[in-house]
């Protein structure tokens, strides 16, 4: 038996007397115990990577789309400036943690049209923690967004962070240069 307790790459070759050896087969396995994992984003990463330690993703929005909500996973964003072409949509119980407000900056690339935005919906917000309305109760976000700076790219982003119909959300970020508001906290 082979013990796998983290991400491992295995290589195998088939050999039988009197036959030609097979080509080398490679497979990568990740064993999860079902607990919370930390995924990584780096300016030197690639979205074709696994997002795990030593194999970071490149885009924060991509990472947010890949990470499963409801478990307590963390997206750890390294130092540098991350220019996102899509909003970062965080699921409940997914944390977003930078390397420090002076070290990690999230901004946008491309253009969000902010001229005709409905200011009651999150369209145009760079980081979105939005859940659909529920009767009599907001969704338990159970999450933290911290240690990063959100730059509204010369006021071309409506809001840096938009939280709607979530409670139990902790924020410790610096937000600058937005068009409408730095952060919005709204009931469903």
């Amino acid at each position: 038996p082979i013990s796998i307790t983290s991400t491992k790459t295995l290589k195998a070759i088939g050999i039988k007397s009197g036959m030609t050896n097979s080509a080398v087969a490679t497979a990568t396995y990740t064993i999860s115990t079902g607990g919370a994992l930390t995924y990584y984003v780096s300016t030197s990463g690639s979205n074709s990577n696994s997002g795990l330690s030593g194999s970071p993703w490149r885009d924060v929005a991509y990472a947010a789309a890949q990470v499963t909500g409801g478990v307590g996973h963390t997206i750890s964003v390294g130092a540098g400036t991350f220019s996102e072409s899509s909003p970062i949509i965080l699921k409940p119980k997914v944390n977003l943690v930078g390397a420090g407000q002076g070290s990690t900056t999230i901004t946008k690339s491309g253009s969000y049209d902010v001229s005709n935005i409905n200011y009651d919906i999150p369209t145009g917000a760079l980081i979105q923690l939005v859940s659909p309305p529920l009767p009599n109760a907001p969704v338990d976000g159970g999450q933290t967004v911290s240690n990063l700076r959100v730059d509204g790219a010369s006021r071309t982003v409506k809001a840096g962070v938009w939280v709607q119909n979530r409670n139990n959300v902790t924020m410790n970020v610096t937000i600058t240069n937005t068009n409408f508001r730095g952060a919005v906290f709204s009931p469903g």
Side-chain angles (χ1 to χ4, degrees), residues 26-186:
T26 302
T28 301
Y29 297 91
T30 301
I31 303 301
S32 173
T33 61
L37 297 174
T38 299
Y39 294 91
Y40 297 88
V41 179
S42 168
T43 56
S44 63
S46 168
N47 290 343
S48 62
N49 288 343
S50 69
L52 297 173
S53 180
S55 187
W57 287 315
R58 172 61 184 93
D59 299 311
V60 182
Y62 180 84
Q66 302 308 306
V67 174
T68 305
V71 180
H73 296 314
T74 296
I75 300 170
S76 177
V77 184
T81 298
F82 297 83
S83 296
E84 300 294 318
S85 59
S86 301
I88 299 161
I89 301 173
L90 288 177
K91 300 170 189 92
K93 297 193 166 111
V94 173
N95 304 302
L96 182 63
V97 180
Q101 292 180 14
S103 300
T104 302
T105 299
I106 297 176
T107 189
K108 71 156 194 80
S109 63
S111 175
Y112 296 166
D113 180 9
V114 294
S115 61
N116 291 315
I117 284 181
N118 177 339
Y119 288 103
D120 295 327
I121 59 175
T123 304
L126 188 55
I127 300 175
Q128 301 175 17
L129 294 80
V130 177
S131 294
L134 298 173
N136 305 318
V139 170
D140 180 11
Q143 61 200 133
T144 298
V145 178
S146 65
N147 296 330
L148 53 90
R149 178 175 171 260
V150 178
D151 185 331
S154 301
R155 302 178 63 104
T156 59
V157 171
K158 176 174 76 173
V161 178
W162 193 290
V163 180
Q164 185 168 329
N165 202 33
R166 290 219 188 138
N167 63 16
N168 195 17
V169 174
T170 302
M171 294 283 200
N172 183 11
V173 298
T174 299
I175 302 170
T176 60
N177 301 317
T178 61
N179 183 40
F180 180 54
R181 295 183 179 146
V184 175
F185 295 88
S186 172

